[in-house]
Amino acid sequence: MTQRANKTTANDAPLSADELKNTDAYWRACNYLAVGMIYLQANPLLRKPLEFAHIKKRLLGHWGASPGLSFMYVHMNRLINKYDLNAIFLAGPGHGAPGVLAPVYLEGAYSEVYPDKSEDEEGMRRFFKQFSFPGGIGSHCTPETPGSIHEGGELGYSVSHAFGAAFDNPDLIVTVAVGDGEAETGPLSTSWHSSKFLHPVRDGAVLPILHLNGYKINNPSILSRISHDELENLFRGYGWTPYFVEGDDPNTMHQKMASTMERCVQQIREIQAQARNGGAVTRARWPMIILRSPKGWTGPKEVDGKKVEGYWRAHQVPLSGLQGNPEHMQQLESWLRSYRPEELFDTQGRLLPELKALAPKGVRRMGANPHANGGLLRRDLRMPDFREYAIDVAKPGQSSAMNTKPLGAMLRDVMRQNMDNFRVFGPDENTSNKLDAVYEVSKKLWLADYLPEDDDGGELSPDGRVLEMLSEHTLEGWYEGYVLTGRHGFFATYEAFVHVIDSMYNQHAKWLAICEELPWRAPIASINLLITSTVWRQDHNGFTHQDPGFLDVVINKSPKVTRIYLPPDVNCLLTTADHCLRSHNDINVIVCDKQMHIQYLDKDAAIKHCTKGLGIWKWASNDEGFEPDVVMVGCGDIPTKEALAATALLRQHFPDLKIRFINVVDLFRMTSAGEHPHGLSDRDFDSLFTVDKPIIFNFHGYPWLIHRMAYRRTNHNNLHVRGYKERGNINTPLDLAIENEIDRFSLAIDVINRVPGLKVAGAHVKESLRDMQIDCRRYAHEHGIDKPEERDWVWPY
């Protein structure tokens, strides 16, 4: 590797001869374990010559990034011991788990969680065999890995997760390894701006180590192929102070890394001390490290005459096809023995005492730090009484209010009572989403430059706790890191843009689902996502912003951790939010628009209704004591209004028609009890929805989602769902509803078509309803608003 001695940061040699020898030995032990995990299922210490029977039949795993990761981990251990640091480690490279599992095992944290993977020869054999093996563990830093809060199943979230962990953790240092392939992703590139939101007094620190090993799976990485000056200027432009450690000679690199990491820790402490001793709280230029080392460092230089170390061929399994290939077998054995395991482990298979001493003790071990098992530190929120924010509803369906406005007041007081472990996250939308009451107790965090006009409504403060940035990726990453380390939060975003975090939702849901099976993982606070500015109120944004499909993404994940709520009014939203903020180990998705909407339930009725998750609205039904002719269902704010308006039209024209009106708040009540914890039993479902009567289901999202959830129900053949059909543009609310056939007129006509006694007798009413529908569309297209009598409609009974 080309040396840049004049460009690297560290030129001194802080390690004594003994320290250097032991540090390198510890790192060799890590690398030996990493290779063993990929290849071996027996003979873990090579006490006898390597045989085919000792090798796994299927070779899976990733070697390339592992030596660099353990190199960082070992050097962080040294600083933890020297300065008594409280630190955790995040591995951004998706497939670098052997480089993290190895030092976690050597420090003893792994064996404490999994006693069968003990610190001896038999435990090491089990430790090796389980890796990337059926019934074992995956090749990422999965939830099964002690000390991990970041799996890397999808690249790009490591830095944002690290900052989320550091917020409100003033004594924590989060060391985060960033792969150079990962650094090419959009989420990671944007997350470098996170340093502009790190408060040096109340927050901890993040020490990113950008690992330039040069290659991805089989391509060069972009950042490894630009000039040193361009790379340095890039990160200075991001606002960091970059330090470089470059080379391939282990002894030289140990000295450089020891010196540079210590310099970074000292700089972090200087920044914090200056701010914490009464200095001005301003944006700091935090240190970071750019580590350039060969991909597959210390592995085979060549295989079959082709370059491996320092090239993309080192990415996964450098030596494959071992069965029937004695030459590869010999090369593997030589590789393993190059680490001299007999100098690292005693006769029992335990790490030698002088090397064991290099690992921190107790909870200072990064594999045992409670911040990486955040449920151990979680304190339940001190919650105000949500009833205090409820609005008066004297009569259902008569008054209107902004649904999210009272929620903003409630979140304000949640913040007030939890000023060190609760945050509100959102893009540039909290005011737009009517949650701006939170600024009464805490402004938006802003550490960059101020302008005089910022005092006029900017709501900015260097002490703010509301985190706003126009990157849903970064916000969600912060939020996840914050929750994973034991805190609580709330995230509101527009429905059209929540798709930006589809993959992040997927990864966190998978993380939680695995954690449910790990008794040692303590429950963490739920992720709470408010989806607002919804599909049905895109009056000015139009077709591009009309997409309720995030619900389809949510439902794909494990029912153990997924929850969807569609409260139709203020009081239902408040009781739902209260429940979600108190819950653990879930992802709660709340869909509720921010605009003025009709109000239906007083606070007591809302509590009962939301507790049940769905139910008959007696005041909107006229079938009590009878079997209904039709079941009308509303799910979502606008769909509920239109379903009620259709019900009123039908009762006006057909007074003898028996209509049962049902509202659904908890969407998973539509599934069977055996498929989701909130699923409704078949008996209760049949009782509510009947076994043979038509059901007209007016839904917020795409219609097929309801069919997917209810396809096994007795009366599914009579279930007719109306929802968004990818039709729309710059519409008024009623015009958009008509375009997608969720409007009152279409629903009433649907009932006439499906109730046997009305098919013929209702012909004149159908004609009248179509005429009204045409008039409404013509009015909207001429005047730009809905007809007043339809826009201001109230429940007439």
Side-chain angles (χ1 to χ4, degrees), residues 550-792:
F550 186 65
L551 301 186
D552 299 69
V553 175
V554 173
I555 203 172
N556 289 331
K557 295 300 149 221
S558 170
K560 295 178 181 178
V561 301
T562 49
R563 307 288 185 264
I564 299 173
Y565 304 100
L566 295 101
D569 63 5
V570 166
N571 292 336
C572 288
L573 175 59
L574 290 171
T575 185
T576 298
D578 179 80
H579 165 77
C580 293
L581 287 167
R582 296 176 188 272
S583 66
H584 305 141
N585 270 20
D586 291 331
I587 302 179
N588 299 308
V589 177
I590 308 170
V591 183
C592 191
D593 189 58
K594 63 188 181 182
Q595 307 289 2
M596 295 289 289
H597 288 276
I598 296 181
Q599 302 300 303
Y600 306 110
L601 304 181
D602 63 32
K603 61 184 177 182
D604 291 331
I607 293 169
K608 293 174 183 175
H609 182 54
C610 293
T611 301
K612 293 183 294 185
L614 84 173
I616 298 171
W617 281 359
K618 290 186 178 182
W619 53 267
S621 307
N622 65 351
D623 71 317
E624 190 165 7
F626 300 90
E627 192 166 356
D629 297 307
V630 65
V631 178
M632 186 73 76
V633 186
C635 184
D637 36 39
I638 290 289
T640 294
K641 174 186 176 182
E642 292 303 311
L644 283 167
T647 299
L649 284 170
L650 289 165
R651 287 175 62 174
Q652 173 189 340
H653 290 286
F654 306 106
D656 295 331
L657 183 69
K658 300 303 180 187
I659 304 173
R660 175 175 298 173
F661 192 93
I662 291 175
N663 178 262
V664 177
V665 176
D666 183 344
L667 191 61
F668 278 108
R669 297 295 271 166
M670 296 300 296
T671 63
S672 299
E675 296 177 0
H676 192 280
H678 290 195
L680 196 64
S681 71
D682 287 334
R683 286 186 177 182
D684 286 341
F685 194 94
D686 291 346
S687 178
L688 284 169
F689 292 92
T690 78
V691 295
D692 58 1
K693 296 296 187 292
I695 306 164
I696 309 302
F697 196 113
N698 214 28
F699 179 47
H700 172 87
Y702 290 108
W704 47 82
L705 183 60
I706 299 301
H707 286 293
R708 175 182 168 184
M709 300 179 80
Y711 78 100
R712 295 172 62 184
R713 299 296 193 177
T714 304
N715 200 22
H716 180 256
N717 286 342
N718 284 315
L719 176 62
H720 309 286
V721 185
R722 300 291 172 258
Y724 185 63
K725 296 182 177 181
E726 285 294 308
R727 299 174 187 167
N729 209 309
I730 305 300
N731 306 97
T732 63
L734 183 55
D735 186 32
L736 183 61
I738 293 171
E739 187 81 6
N740 289 275
E741 299 179 301
I742 74 152
D743 64 290
R744 60 199 68 182
F745 311 113
S746 296
L747 297 175
I749 290 170
D750 210 6
V751 171
I752 294 170
N753 288 336
R754 299 188 186 281
V755 174
L758 300 182
K759 286 183 180 179
V760 177
H764 291 282
V765 175
K766 283 169 60 175
E767 289 297 303
S768 175
L769 293 172
R770 288 195 178 103
D771 289 343
M772 295 169 69
Q773 193 178 58
I774 292 169
D775 287 343
C776 286
R777 299 207 73 181
R778 183 186 297 126
Y779 187 95
H781 292 184
E782 180 178 350
H783 298 281
I785 59 173
D786 287 322
K787 295 178 70 173
E789 59 268 33
E790 310 299 346
R791 184 179 69 244
D792 301 328

Side-chain angles (χ1 to χ4, degrees), residues 471-581:
S471 167
E472 286 85 353
H473 282 129
T474 303
L475 291 163
E476 177 66 15
W478 289 347
Y479 187 9
E480 289 174 3
Y482 196 67
V483 164
L484 285 162
T485 47
R487 280 72 63 73
H488 306 256
F490 195 89
F491 187 166
T493 189
Y494 290 177
E495 187 172 52
F497 302 143
V498 70
H499 274 301
V500 172
I501 61 167
D502 279 1
S503 293
M504 301 190 77
Y505 158 81
N506 285 339
Q507 294 299 318
H508 191 70
K510 287 176 179 290
W511 177 279
L512 288 176
I514 294 176
C515 288
E516 290 276 350
E517 307 300 323
L518 301 174
W520 62 271
R521 284 273 182 193
I524 59 174
S526 297
I527 292 285
N528 304 302
L529 301 175
L530 174 65
I531 312 304
T532 188
S533 190
T534 59
V535 55
W536 303 110
R537 291 304 302 267
Q538 292 303 326
D539 308 5
H540 63 291
N541 287 316
F543 188 53
T544 57
H545 285 50
Q546 295 163 2
D547 188 345
F550 186 65
L551 301 186
D552 299 69
V553 175
V554 173
I555 203 172
N556 289 331
K557 295 300 149 221
S558 170
K560 295 178 181 178
V561 301
T562 49
R563 307 288 185 264
I564 299 173
Y565 304 100
L566 295 101
D569 63 5
V570 166
N571 292 336
C572 288
L573 175 59
L574 290 171
T575 185
T576 298
D578 179 80
H579 165 77
C580 293
L581 287 167

Side-chain angles (χ1 to χ4, degrees), residues 94-111:
H95 296 98
V100 178
L101 287 163
V104 172
Y105 175 80
L106 292 177
E107 72 188 13
Y110 204 91
S111 299

Side-chain angles (χ1 to χ4, degrees), residues 191-485:
S191 68
W192 291 117
H193 290 296
S194 300
S195 63
K196 301 174 178 67
F197 293 85
L198 197 67
H199 196 288
V201 175
R202 69 182 181 213
D203 297 334
V206 174
L207 178 58
I209 305 176
L210 174 61
H211 189 200
L212 296 182
N213 63 25
Y215 295 90
K216 305 183 285 283
I217 293 176
N218 63 357
N219 268 304
S221 59
I222 294 171
L223 295 183
S224 71
R225 294 289 183 96
I226 64 177
S227 72
H228 181 97
D229 289 342
E230 186 178 354
L231 186 64
E232 182 173 7
N233 289 334
L234 174 67
F235 285 97
R236 288 195 182 280
Y238 269 126
W240 294 87
T241 300
Y243 294 92
F244 289 78
V245 177
E246 301 175 306
D248 57 6
D249 174 67
N251 285 343
T252 303
M253 288 290 281
H254 282 306
Q255 295 286 16
K256 290 178 179 179
M257 192 65 166
S259 174
T260 303
M261 286 192 74
E262 187 158 6
R263 185 173 303 182
C264 290
V265 168
Q266 290 170 344
Q267 186 176 345
I268 286 169
R269 290 190 150 193
E270 288 169 4
I271 291 170
Q272 292 175 334
Q274 181 178 1
R276 294 174 186 183
N277 292 329
V281 176
T282 58
R283 181 167 74 91
R285 286 188 167 268
W286 298 93
M288 65 166 295
I289 296 171
I290 298 175
L291 169 65
R292 192 187 297 267
S293 65
K295 194 174 186 76
W297 195 9
T298 74
K301 305 291 185 186
E302 292 184 350
V303 175
D304 297 332
K306 296 183 181 296
K307 181 178 175 63
V308 174
E309 186 190 55
Y311 198 47
W312 57 260
R313 290 191 184 93
H315 182 74
Q316 292 180 320
V317 181
L319 284 161
S320 58
L322 297 178
Q323 300 293 333
N325 192 329
E327 184 178 340
H328 280 197
M329 277 288 292
Q330 180 57 49
Q331 196 171 2
L332 173 61
E333 183 164 6
S334 297
W335 178 15
L336 283 162
R337 292 192 184 279
S338 73
Y339 298 115
R340 307 191 298 279
E342 68 280 1
E343 298 177 8
L344 307 173
F345 302 96
D346 66 16
T347 57
Q348 302 300 314
R350 294 186 292 259
L351 190 67
L352 294 179
E354 61 268 29
L355 301 182
K356 187 76 170 179
L358 271 62
K361 305 297 185 291
V363 295
R364 285 295 189 244
R365 294 171 297 172
M366 291 189 285
N369 192 301
H371 289 93
N373 187 3
L376 297 175
L377 303 176
R378 175 186 53 79
R379 308 188 314 273
D380 285 340
L381 290 171
R382 294 183 290 273
M383 292 288 292
D385 186 348
F386 70 92
R387 298 170 184 82
E388 295 178 2
Y389 311 92
I391 64 171
D392 291 329
V393 180
K395 189 177 180 183
Q398 297 292 313
S399 58
S400 293
M402 289 182 178
N403 282 344
T404 57
K405 192 81 174 173
L407 176 63
M410 176 177 155
L411 292 174
R412 173 199 64 204
D413 294 338
V414 174
M415 179 83 80
R416 192 195 309 276
Q417 296 182 37
N418 302 274
M419 287 294 280
D420 62 349
N421 71 332
F422 177 77
R423 296 268 185 147
V424 172
F425 302 81
D428 181 29
E429 297 164 0
N430 279 316
T431 297
S432 172
N433 290 332
K434 311 298 187 290
L435 302 177
D436 47 302
V438 295
Y439 303 140
E440 296 172 19
V441 65
S442 184
K443 306 294 186 183
K444 309 169 194 176
L445 175 66
W446 191 257
L447 297 173
D449 293 344
Y450 278 76
L451 299 175
E453 54 265 34
D454 290 330
D455 292 332
D456 184 16
E459 304 289 1
L460 306 178
S461 169
D463 294 317
R465 299 184 51 77
V466 179
L467 294 175
E468 296 191 20
M469 177 182 179
L470 203 55
S471 167
E472 286 85 353
H473 282 129
T474 303
L475 291 163
E476 177 66 15
W478 289 347
Y479 187 9
E480 289 174 3
Y482 196 67
V483 164
L484 285 162
T485 47

